[in-house]
Structure formats: structure tokens, C-alpha cells
Amino acid sequence: MGFKKHLSSLKSYEAGKPIELVIRDYGIRQKDIIKLASNENPLGTSKKVIKAIKKEAKNSYRYPDDSMFELKKSLAKKYKVDSKNIIIGQGSDQIIELLVQATCGSEDKILTSSLTFAMYEIYASHNQAKVLKTKDGVHNADQFIEIYQKSKPNLVFLCIPNNPLGDCLDRSEVYRILDSISSDTIVALDCAYGEFAAYKDKNKEIKPKEIIKKYKNCIYLGTFSKLYGLGGLRIGYGIADSNFIEMLSKLRAPFNITNLSLKAAIIALEDSTFLKNSLKNNFKEMKVYEDFAKSKNIDFIESYTNFITFMLPKSIDSSSLCEYLLKQGVIIRDLKSYGINAIRITIGLREQNKTTIKLIDKYLKR
Ligand SMILES: *Cc1c(COP(=O)(O)O)cnc(C)c1O
């Protein structure tokens, strides 16, 4: 058939196991399932957002405002930038896709850390671009700078904080990397968990306004899928110099965001109580996992996100632990497919975390 040759060797993204699969395969009732696998907000979706979506539903027959005027205005106000500096995507994932498409072909290279968000490499492979990786999984500024200078990739992804490890470069380190990169190389700062990092440590806060003023080759990526609790509505954004946004927008399909998603995102930005409660729960409960890991001598990476990653000793196999939890209705993320014996747990609500920890403890004591 007439498909492009490289398609046959492409790998697709392995998403966290959906709840429906656990109901089907393990016969567990929906209400007994605890899903801590995809870094969703355990508080759910803000009530104010749900109300707004219901109200907006009657406009479903209309095409959305393709200029996305209202949401851009809200984001521009929040970040103190101009609407011309903003692009909206179907999740920040779509903006990552557009970025790779806009910059890379078979002659080109992208640079990432060796353990990071899988979509960078997947979109690179769609475009037949080569992926260069730093030696360490956690982000290391010196390693990024060294490979950049040696191999001159034309696209660099910094995931700050980094999924699936949870590590996070200081802002000063990010600037050190940006200062070493020439203006004809595009840099994406993927800040899907940026709100969590900024809450925990001010030195980790990336300010889009500062970034786009100093670095015309750099784009800040944010999402409504994590802290804002809108993963199912698929909405994210990029903030960059207006020329950068103009170029990227040429590849965006019209009406790529639904009316409901646009409305939901605008209201989600305003519900500061919901956001504050989400952040508070996250770091209070993170501590419970840290204490548990310490008591069991399990290594973990200090996390600036809404998940924690346990680096397991050889004696504990990540896949069999995950399988054990799955049979009891607890879904977490096995990182075996990343080539490490580790698990990633999204920080849930108190009771969910208690159950999860109890089950891991039980597994360890078998
Ligand atoms: C979740 C995530 C995204 C994108 O999420 P969307 O739902 O597509 O907005 C991007 N980068 C990282 C590192 C993520 O973890």
C-alpha cells in the first residue's frame, strides 16, 4: 500500500491503563478502582467549570471562535503577555506535534533528556528526525549544553519539571541552557507541571513574560490537563514571541478546540480556591509517599509535580508490583517501558493514597 515507508517501524504512545480496561479484565467495580496512573487531578473537575460547561452545551451547534479571543485574553492577563503571544492546542501535546512538524525533517535532530516525556521522540519519529539524548535521565544543564554545542540539534525539549521522573531544573539553570543556544535553534520549555514546581519552590518558577522577551526562539508550553483538572477536554497552550506564534499557527487546523473546552478553560483559570486546594492536597500527600519510601529504603526522586517516582531495588520488579496492584483495582504507572525498574504514582486523595501504600506494603511483605 501507499503508506510512507517509515510508518511500519513507528511506535505509538503507551497511555496509562484506562479504568474501563480494569473493569473488563479484572471484574472490579468502577467505584472500587483507584486510578493514579495519568497525573490527573484527584479532586476532579472544579464545580464551577462543570456548571459553565452545562450552560455552554446549548451552543454546541456553533463552530467555536477560531481566534479563541476570550481564552487568549484570560491567559494573556494571567501571564502579562499579549494575545498575539499565545497559541491554543488540543492539549499541549498538539503544540508539541506542531513544533516538531514545523522544525524537523529527516535531516534534523532534536535534543532531550534520556528519560522524559515520550511524545517528543514519537513526534520526532513521525518526521524522521533523529533524537539525541543526554546521559542522565534527570535534566542536567551541562549535559544539554555539551551535546548542543557538539551536535547542533535544531529543536531542544526541556521538560521542567520532568515527567516521568519528577526532577526540575532551577530557573537559573534553564537560563544558562537558553543562553548557550543560538537563536536559530528552537527551544520548548514543557511546563505541564510548572504550577506545582512554582508552588513548592520559587526558584523553579518559569515566567513566560521573561522568557519571550529575552529568547525569541523559545516557547513556553502549559496545559489544563494536570492542575486544572481538564485532561478530558484536551486543551493546552504555548506562549512565545509573536513571530514564533505566527509561524506555528500556520500548521494549526481551524476549530481545533471545542466551545466546551474553551469555556471550561476560562472558568478553570478563575477558580483559585480549587487550584489552591489541589496544590495543598498534592504536597501534603506527597510527604506521605516520601515517608513510606524512606521507611522501606526505596529510592525516590524529589518531585516538583503531582506524581512521585520510586526507583525500585532489583529485588522488587516494577511490572509484577503493578500487576499485583492492578488486580486489586489500583492503577499506577509501570516505567519498565522507559527501560527502568521504577513506578510512577500520581498523588491522589488521602484515602486513595492510604490504600495504595497499604497494598504496596503488603506486596513487599509477601
Ligand atoms: C501531560 C503532559 C503533557 C501534555 O498534556 P496535554 O493533555 O496534551 O495537554 C505535556 N508534557 C508533559 C511532560 C506531560 O506530562
Side-chain angles (χ1 to χ4, degrees):
M1 283 186 286
F3 291 113
K4 290 178 179 169
K5 284 211 173 52
H6 74 280
L7 281 186
S8 55
S9 60
L10 291 190
K11 281 188 290 195
S12 23
Y13 181 71
E14 193 189 317
K17 287 201 177 26
I19 286 180
E20 291 74 14
L21 179 140
V22 182
I23 297 174
R24 256 192 340 261
D25 291 5
Y26 297 87
I28 295 169
R29 287 173 304 181
Q30 166 120 29
K31 69 174 188 51
D32 294 331
I33 292 174
I34 296 175
K35 187 183 176 214
L36 301 176
S38 299
N39 305 337
E40 293 149 341
N41 189 328
L43 272 65
T45 303
S46 141
K47 295 224 171 25
K48 288 185 180 154
V49 170
I50 294 171
K51 205 168 135 201
I53 295 173
K54 282 185 181 156
K55 210 167 141 212
E56 182 66 23
K58 66 175 182 302
N59 291 327
S60 296
Y61 71 99
R62 275 194 208 141
Y63 276 102
D65 166 17
D66 194 51
S67 76
M68 303 182 216
F69 180 84
E70 291 296 334
L71 177 57
K72 283 185 186 170
K73 199 172 92 183
S74 299
L75 284 167
K77 188 166 160 238
K78 174 179 163 66
Y79 289 112
K80 302 185 177 69
V81 298
D82 196 279
S83 289
K84 287 201 289 284
N85 299 121
I86 298 171
I87 183 170
I88 311 290
Q90 225 170 67
S92 56
D93 204 84
Q94 187 178 44
I95 301 173
I96 296 171
E97 180 180 22
L98 297 183
L99 262 178
V100 182
Q101 199 188 335
T103 57
C104 290
S106 58
E107 306 289 303
D108 300 312
K109 290 171 279 195
I110 78 169
L111 171 59
T112 72
S113 102
S114 60
L115 272 168
T116 190
F117 192 47
M119 293 316 300
Y120 310 146
E121 183 157 16
I122 290 173
Y123 289 129
S125 71
H126 292 181
N127 293 281
Q128 294 174 277
K130 194 174 164 206
V131 182
L132 309 169
K133 295 177 184 178
T134 59
K135 182 164 120 325
D136 292 350
V138 295
H139 282 50
N140 175 307
D142 288 331
Q143 291 177 9
F144 269 94
I145 293 168
E146 191 190 325
I147 300 186
Y148 174 75
Q149 279 165 357
K150 208 160 65 192
S151 308
K152 294 277 147 59
N154 48 331
L155 176 61
V156 180
F157 281 103
L158 300 178
C159 192
I160 25 182
N162 185 22
N163 177 12
L165 296 183
D167 62 294
C168 187
L169 285 177
D170 275 359
R171 181 173 57 249
S172 60
E173 290 288 272
V174 173
Y175 281 173
R176 193 156 70 82
I177 297 175
L178 289 172
D179 285 333
S180 78
I181 290 178
S182 79
S183 60
D184 55 0
T185 300
I186 303 292
V187 185
L189 306 181
D190 185 345
C191 299
Y193 305 93
E195 297 91 353
F196 294 97
Y199 180 83
K200 179 168 177 171
D201 180 351
K202 281 282 160 257
N203 293 321
K204 310 283 186 189
E205 185 179 7
I206 304 293
K207 298 171 183 145
K209 185 184 162 77
E210 255 178 46
I211 295 282
I212 68 174
K213 196 168 155 214
K214 265 185 94 175
Y215 309 100
K216 309 285 176 210
N217 56 331
C218 185
I219 185 166
Y220 173 99
L221 303 178
T223 179
F224 287 93
S225 298
K226 309 287 158 58
L227 175 66
Y228 292 92
L230 297 181
L233 290 184
R234 313 302 308 120
I235 185 152
Y237 53 94
I239 304 176
D241 180 67
S242 58
N243 292 318
F244 190 128
I245 295 296
E246 201 180 318
M247 291 301 280
L248 210 53
S249 299
K250 292 175 199 258
L251 296 174
R252 181 184 67 83
F255 312 117
N256 58 329
I257 311 296
T258 69
N259 291 336
L260 301 187
S261 303
L262 290 169
K263 190 73 197 177
I266 292 165
I267 305 302
L269 282 172
E270 291 167 2
D271 194 349
S272 54
T273 311
F274 176 81
L275 302 176
K276 215 184 295 160
N277 290 340
S278 304
L279 289 164
K280 264 198 208 144
N281 172 76
N282 186 67
F283 288 106
K284 198 163 144 220
E285 293 296 311
M286 176 93 70
K287 177 90 171 41
V288 180
Y289 281 102
E290 289 174 354
D291 290 345
F292 171 72
K294 282 177 197 158
S295 75
K296 298 288 164 186
N297 268 324
I298 294 173
D299 286 337
F300 63 89
I301 296 166
E302 180 167 15
S303 171
Y304 292 86
T305 65
N306 63 349
F307 59 82
I308 187 160
T309 296
F310 287 175
M311 310 299 279
L312 301 174
K314 276 207 188 70
S315 56
I316 311 170
D317 179 64
S318 64
S319 303
S320 51
L321 170 57
C322 288
E323 183 69 17
Y324 176 84
L325 292 176
L326 207 52
K327 283 184 182 145
Q328 328 263 347
V330 174
I331 320 172
I332 61 164
R333 193 68 190 264
D334 181 11
L335 297 183
K336 203 45 90 55
S337 65
Y338 286 80
I340 51 173
N341 186 37
I343 53 171
R344 189 193 72 190
I345 307 170
T346 302
I347 309 298
L349 300 175
R350 167 59 52 86
E351 287 305 315
Q352 298 175 317
N353 300 327
K354 256 166 108 171
T355 305
T356 304
I357 287 175
K358 211 164 80 190
L359 284 172
I360 297 176
D361 194 36
K362 213 164 133 192
Y363 177 86
L364 297 178
K365 286 181 175 149
R366 285 182 324 165

